[in-house]
């Protein structure tokens, strides 16, 4: 969900947990990946095969702007 641009608050609402729990989980993931932020974590996860490009949803507005 983080790779798709969702905020901690959006992820928390969808998962039914407090936003600080999402922040703690993402911070732990950043440490494990050796990343300093969300974008770098996504890039590393893609590079090591923990995340597939097919799992990332690109909103239609961004897809059209990039074309």
């Amino acid at each position: 969900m983080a790779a798709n641009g969702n905020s901690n608050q959006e992820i928390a609402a969808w998962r039914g947990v407090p936003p600080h729990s999402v922040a703690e989980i993402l911070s732990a993931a950043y440490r494990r990946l050796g990343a300093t932020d969300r974008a770098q974590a996504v890039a590393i996860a893609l590079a090591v095969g923990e995340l597939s490009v097919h799992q990332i949803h690109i909103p239609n507005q961004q897809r059209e702007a990039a074309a």
Side-chain angles (χ1 to χ4, degrees), residues 1-6 45-46 49-58:
M1 294 183 75
N4 285 312
N6 293 290
L46 285 166
E50 290 295 322
L51 182 64
S52 164
V53 293
H54 302 293
Q55 293 173 286
I56 299 175
H57 169 74
I58 302 170

Side-chain angles (χ1 to χ4, degrees), residues 5 13 19 21 31 36 63-64:
S21 294
R31 281 192 302 278
T36 57
R63 183 176 292 132
E64 290 169 5

Side-chain angles (χ1 to χ4, degrees), residues 7-35:
S7 68
N8 290 359
Q9 291 77 13
E10 291 169 327
I11 296 169
W14 189 77
R15 300 292 299 165
V17 298
H20 71 84
S21 294
V22 174
E24 289 176 12
I25 291 166
L26 289 175
S27 291
Y30 298 165
R31 281 192 302 278
R32 283 192 299 271
L33 291 168

